[in-house]
């Protein structure tokens, strides 16, 4: 049997619009029979953090960072026209209006379609995050070498 | 005859600097004999909107969005040092000073060199845009599956 | 002997977080035996500018631009939570805390590992920069055609 073609996406950004683009590409790739991996790093980790519950981290600075940079799909904002939340709210309405899946639904869909969701070990180390901080859809933590290993076997590798 | 090598670029960002980078790469690729496709999505659609005339869209929210997020090459701003337009104006002057083509000229050149310019169907749906909103250089509307289909046959695929 | 697999990265952004991501990927790629090239353009040039000394450029506008957009690793800021420098300072502390190499150390490491560091000729022309503006780790200036030539022979090409 032929190997499936791979699509690998680094998700560096933590804004709603880029999160949507990443998951739309991931789910589309999976629907086309591609083997898709998403590798979340830096601000991108916010997209896959749990919406509920606090994040436990050690040290005052990490506690401060994880308070300000709380994350979770419900807290993602547009990179432009956020306008204190109004633009982000409007974008969500417009998507609903044409029955486009929300970021929450896209994450669930991606998981059901077999998309691998990986959090970057190094970023987690710097920010003081462990597996508890993330949603159940997250498969595992892995480093940049894992990403590059996947990327060099991929037909398409993108940095978002 | 050998197939031409492909270059595929997703243009997600709507700032002048990233638009310039995307079109410089696209025209350079075409001049090297590559078969180039550009796929505009989200804020990137602003780059290929018409400069003149209003955008017709249905519903109050889409009208508001298309008023604020008007687009067209003349309205693009730098992602840094815009300084209420001063930085953007300076950048244009500096480019002219060394006879570097403007974004307007790059779009025309790209078209003449056979670069394919495609607008993302899904983003158009969310924002309430139809083909009338775009410049004559835009070939067609297509979805993420079209982009991934091109990208996986490409030597180089970039997300800008 | 088999050719080494290539990794090519365009560094367009000039923020500390994206600079870190670019150099972490570059050094990881080199440690995996890949042949890595980094191509710095637009704001990305700030990452490889010298920290010390003024930048000589001709004309008032270029002098102004290079004064405001001074660059050098010590002046890089986070793309989010800069908070007048507090967030950037915190991020550096958090990295030091887990003994993660700083951007300064990553650039030195990259060079020692054979990563090629190239500045974009066109951006240098627009901004009025010559080789004197850059650190000793910079190999040469080259244009977009050079980048695409490398990218199309690469296993992985990313735009950061």
């Amino acid at each position: 049997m032929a190997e499936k073609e791979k699509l690998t996406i680094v998700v560096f950004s933590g804004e709603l619009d880029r999160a949507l683009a990443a998951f739309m590409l991931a789910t589309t790739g999976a629907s086309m029979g591609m083997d898709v991996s998403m590798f979340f790093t830096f601000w991108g980790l916010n997209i896959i953090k749990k919406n509920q519950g606090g994040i436990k981290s050690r040290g005052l600075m990490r506690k401060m960072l994880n308070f300000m940079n709380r994350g979770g799909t419900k807290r993602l904002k547009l990179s432009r026209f956020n306008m204190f939340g109004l633009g982000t709210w409007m974008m969500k309405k417009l998507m609903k209006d044409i029955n486009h899946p929300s970021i929450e639904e896209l994450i669930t869909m991606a998981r059901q379609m077999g998309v691998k969701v990986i959090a970057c070990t190094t970023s987690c180390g710097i920010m003081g995050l462990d597996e508890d901080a993330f949603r159940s859809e997250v498969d595992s933590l892995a480093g940049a070498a894992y990403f590059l290993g996947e990327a060099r076997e991929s037909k398409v590798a993108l940095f978002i």
Side-chain angles (χ1 to χ4, degrees), chain A:
Chain A
M1 205 188 103
E3 287 249 351
K4 279 174 144 191
E5 291 185 345
K6 285 191 180 192
L7 164 63
T8 306
I9 303 174
V10 190
V11 187
F12 174 92
S13 309
E15 287 104 7
L16 178 61
D17 39 10
R18 288 182 178 253
L20 287 168
F23 275 99
M24 284 180 203
L25 287 171
T27 50
T28 305
S31 74
M32 291 163 76
M34 295 181 89
D35 185 3
V36 186
S37 298
M38 301 177 84
F39 185 77
F40 292 82
T41 184
F42 274 82
W43 314 114
L45 291 171
N46 284 350
I47 303 166
I48 54 169
K49 282 184 193 162
K50 280 179 192 158
N51 278 310
Q52 275 85 35
I55 289 175
K56 277 162 278 170
S57 44
R58 283 188 306 164
L60 182 61
M61 264 199 292
R62 288 196 170 80
K63 278 194 213 300
M64 270 175 63
L65 177 68
N66 290 322
F67 177 76
M68 292 186 311
N69 186 37
R70 178 61 189 81
T73 50
K74 290 181 185 163
R75 291 178 194 85
L76 304 178
K77 295 180 176 77
L78 290 180
S79 65
R80 295 175 71 169
F81 297 114
N82 179 54
M83 305 185 298
F84 305 100
L86 179 63
T88 299
W89 174 83
M90 256 175 66
M91 184 60 70
K92 288 179 184 175
K93 283 282 271 183
L94 294 176
M95 286 169 61
K96 205 167 183 177
D97 197 40
I98 62 159
N99 294 314
H100 192 286
S102 66
I103 184 67
E104 193 63 30
E105 287 162 328
L106 282 165
I107 297 176
T108 310
M109 279 165 62
R111 182 65 187 170
Q112 285 167 350
M113 294 166 95
V115 171
K116 263 174 280 174
V117 177
I118 294 141
C120 168
T121 318
T122 306
S123 300
C124 289
I126 294 173
M127 299 183 176
L129 301 170
D130 60 22
E131 290 194 27
D132 273 356
F134 299 110
R135 311 164 56 101
S136 61
E137 285 89 350
V138 176
D139 290 272
S140 60
L141 269 63
Y146 174 85
F147 159 69
L148 282 175
E150 291 287 302
R152 68 184 181 182
E153 289 173 12
S154 294
K155 281 281 177 181
V156 186
L158 301 171
F159 186 99
I160 296 187

